[in-house]
Amino acid sequence: MKVAIVHEWLDTYAGSERVLEQLLLAWPEADLFAVCDFLPEAERGFLGGRRPRTTFIQRLPFARTQFRKYLSLMPLAVEQIDLSGYDLVLSSSHAVAKGVLTGPGQLHVSYIHSPMRYAWDLQHQYLRESGSERGLKGAIARWMLHRLRIWDRASAAGVDVLVANSSYIAERIRKVWRRESVVIHPPVAVHRFTLRRDKQDYYLVASRMVPYKRVELVTAAFRRMPGRKLVVIGDGPNMKAVRDAAGGAANITFLGRVSQPELIDRMQGARAALHAAEEDFGIAIVEAQACGTPMIAYGRGGALDIVRAPPANQPTGVFFAEQTPESIIAAVEQFEGLAEAITPEACRANAMRFGEAVFRDAMKALVARELGAR
């Protein structure tokens, strides 16, 4: 059986590349394709020496640093990838990779990180942030996004099996593409984190400081809880807002960026970790649970697939219902009222559901079922 794996673009080793890494391990004989490949040499190890076959986007002017500006050409580019000689096509898609053309004798399974947010529900936010709300530039951007939506839904119809990375993304797929999907959670390197039972007297929030992470809500909440300590790890463009919300409170400690060993140490020692964002999945939540650390998380998005909140058997954390300091304060108080019922062992066991081998086995089993049904 000839296998092709199609990835969006390669420029860094991040979340979707970890999925690609596990697909390559599950199907080591596969050929690799991508819209473009500008991955630094130091980050190429997970490709196992492979050089992906790329599209004409690779050769366009300034593509190395500005390839995302060619988004309107990417549907055309991905459709030019010739996959006619392959029996199985696996695509890893958050934009256009699912749009490769396949025939009736081929099985196309597409792992969906998310439908294109900037073309659907986040269009207006995208236009504001890119300065494209008005004028000729705005008109062109709106027309481009309109055309992308038409292509996006049409290309989704050509995929045999859609795999969503969470129940939240499955619902988005149902909303924008009117398709059902199978949920297989993304792989998390849980083996890199070890269980620690001796928790210390502090809470932790570790995050990139960008607006949608809503870390300023956490610091604002702990500013009003002077008897509870908060450690804040991370940096980014929203750091000023996060510090301003803390108001110089003595119980809040900012560590900035730290090394991976220190991050893990702080994660292992925390009484609980907080997560205030609405995420597609939430790998950081799984990592904290792998350390045996309970979670206090916003109860929307991928967190609902991860954290087991009361009245679930062997709970691993609690949810707060609103992205407000008041809701976070109430959740912290709820957690402290039932902390004895949330054990490090239960948190660790919960995280093991999301291991890399679990992901590979689930994907291979899915493909085997689909091939067997043909």
Side-chain angles (χ1 to χ4, degrees):
M1 184 174 67
K2 290 196 67 177
V3 182
I5 296 177
V6 184
H7 190 63
E8 218 90 63
W9 49 71
L10 287 160
D11 70 321
T12 187
Y13 179 64
S16 64
E17 285 71 34
R18 295 176 194 275
V19 169
L20 173 61
E21 179 178 21
Q22 297 306 312
L23 293 176
L24 292 171
L25 289 172
W27 286 276
E29 74 281 13
D31 293 327
L32 178 59
F33 298 83
V35 170
C36 56
D37 173 20
F38 299 112
L39 194 66
E41 288 298 324
E43 298 181 27
R44 303 190 72 86
F46 76 100
L47 295 179
R50 296 175 182 85
R51 289 284 172 176
R53 304 177 202 180
T54 57
T55 70
F56 67 82
I57 301 292
Q58 183 83 19
R59 301 180 294 277
L60 293 178
F62 311 109
R64 177 171 292 277
T65 56
Q66 304 292 326
F67 65 86
R68 288 178 179 82
K69 292 186 177 179
Y70 292 117
L71 178 64
S72 61
L73 295 177
M74 287 185 185
L76 174 63
V78 82
E79 290 175 348
Q80 307 314 305
I81 298 175
D82 183 4
L83 300 175
S84 56
Y86 293 91
D87 305 295
L88 171 63
V89 175
L90 300 160
S91 58
S92 171
S93 185
H94 56 77
V96 301
K98 74 177 190 318
V100 290
L101 302 180
T102 56
Q106 299 171 288
L107 174 63
H108 180 189
V109 177
S110 188
Y111 191 85
I112 305 298
H113 304 276
S114 176
M116 282 189 283
R117 288 185 171 280
Y118 37 82
W120 293 96
D121 49 312
L122 295 188
Q123 172 189 282
H124 301 292
Q125 178 181 329
Y126 168 78
L127 291 171
R128 283 194 303 272
E129 292 178 355
S130 63
S132 304
E133 286 188 280
R134 298 180 177 83
L136 180 61
K137 182 180 178 182
I140 293 172
R142 291 173 193 276
W143 177 84
M144 181 193 77
L145 292 171
H146 171 71
R147 298 297 301 175
L148 272 176
R149 281 192 293 276
I150 294 172
W151 178 88
D152 192 46
R153 179 172 286 182
S155 61
V159 179
D160 296 300
V161 184
L162 293 167
V163 182
N165 75 352
S166 68
S167 301
Y168 179 62
I169 293 303
E171 181 57 34
R172 296 195 73 245
I173 289 171
R174 192 176 298 115
K175 172 71 175 180
V176 302
W177 295 339
R178 302 302 181 190
R179 290 282 309 272
E180 294 301 314
S181 57
V182 178
V183 175
I184 297 179
H185 298 114
V188 183
V190 291
H191 63 279
R192 297 179 184 172
F193 303 84
T194 55
L195 171 68
R196 185 184 297 173
R197 296 176 178 85
D198 56 321
K199 301 301 182 182
Q200 300 174 36
D201 188 26
Y202 67 87
Y203 292 85
L204 175 73
V205 58
S207 173
R208 289 181 294 118
M209 301 301 163
V210 291
Y212 88 92
K213 293 290 189 178
R214 307 308 306 270
V215 179
E216 75 280 358
L217 299 178
V218 180
T219 55
F222 275 81
R223 180 182 182 178
R224 293 161 56 179
M225 296 186 287
R228 298 178 174 108
K229 297 176 183 177
L230 175 69
V231 173
V232 181
I233 291 177
D235 202 353
N238 208 44
M239 178 55 90
K240 183 180 185 301
V242 173
R243 285 185 174 275
D244 288 349
N251 62 314
I252 302 176
T253 302
F254 289 89
L255 298 182
R257 290 192 178 95
V258 301
S259 66
Q260 187 70 6
E262 182 176 355
L263 173 61
I264 294 174
D265 180 67
R266 293 284 184 172
M267 200 178 288
Q268 290 170 326
R271 186 174 186 183
L274 288 101
H275 189 87
E278 182 177 344
E279 301 271 16
D280 295 340
F281 178 63
I283 286 176
I285 300 175
V286 178
E287 292 173 344
Q289 298 262 274
C291 295
T293 300
M295 285 301 309
I296 301 172
Y298 179 44
R300 289 197 62 183
L304 292 173
D305 282 12
I306 305 170
V307 180
R308 289 174 169 163
N313 186 38
Q314 294 187 318
T316 66
V318 299
F319 292 121
F320 52 94
E322 299 176 350
Q323 288 176 308
T324 63
E326 293 78 13
S327 192
I328 293 172
I329 291 169
V332 171
E333 291 172 349
Q334 180 193 5
F335 166 74
E336 292 184 350
L338 51 81
E340 294 300 320
I342 302 176
T343 66
E345 291 79 8
C347 294
R348 173 72 179 181
N350 182 44
M352 300 310 288
R353 298 186 293 133
F354 307 100
E356 293 169 330
V358 175
F359 171 83
R360 294 195 302 270
D361 290 346
M363 288 297 295
K364 287 191 288 187
L366 170 67
V367 168
R369 286 197 305 271
E370 293 297 326
L371 290 172
R374 287 177 165 248

